[in-house]
Amino acid sequence: MRILTDIPDEDIEKLDALAAREKRSRAATIREAVKLYLVQNSDNNDWIERWAGLWADRDDIPDGVEYQQAMREDRRPYEDI
């Protein structure tokens, strides 16, 4: 669907510079901006389910709790302070 909207000249200049830097059309850049705006302002939290556990199967990322414990090994226990 096509729409007509007024955008200030200074914003168009920035938009065109961004589109050129990314080697995309102005229209594609605007479509992406609108999509991002809608996602950011949505009450929908399905992105949590889509991305939860994304790194669960990666072997190169250590367990967060184990990492914290290793970093704190050389500290005095809280009770001793």
Side-chain angles (χ1 to χ4, degrees):
M1 172 183 275
R2 291 180 183 254
I3 61 168
L4 178 65
T5 185
D6 291 323
I7 300 175
D9 290 341
E10 60 191 39
D11 290 344
I12 291 292
E13 290 173 7
K14 292 175 185 176
L15 182 65
D16 287 345
L18 177 64
R21 189 169 59 239
E22 295 181 353
K23 295 180 175 52
R24 301 175 63 176
S25 68
R26 180 192 293 171
T29 306
I30 291 172
R31 282 191 296 269
E32 183 177 337
V34 169
K35 185 181 290 188
L36 180 60
Y37 179 83
L38 293 173
V39 167
Q40 288 176 343
N41 292 286
S42 171
D43 291 336
N44 186 348
N45 288 330
D46 68 346
W47 62 271
I48 294 172
E49 291 182 24
R50 284 196 316 266
W51 298 103
L54 180 66
W55 291 357
D57 297 329
R58 291 194 46 187
D59 297 329
D60 60 323
I61 301 173
D63 179 65
V65 175
E66 291 176 8
Y67 173 78
Q68 289 177 13
Q69 290 171 344
M71 293 299 294
R72 296 175 181 158
E73 279 182 352
D74 62 338
R75 298 183 186 170
R76 290 189 305 172
Y78 182 73
E79 296 82 25
D80 293 348
I81 298 177

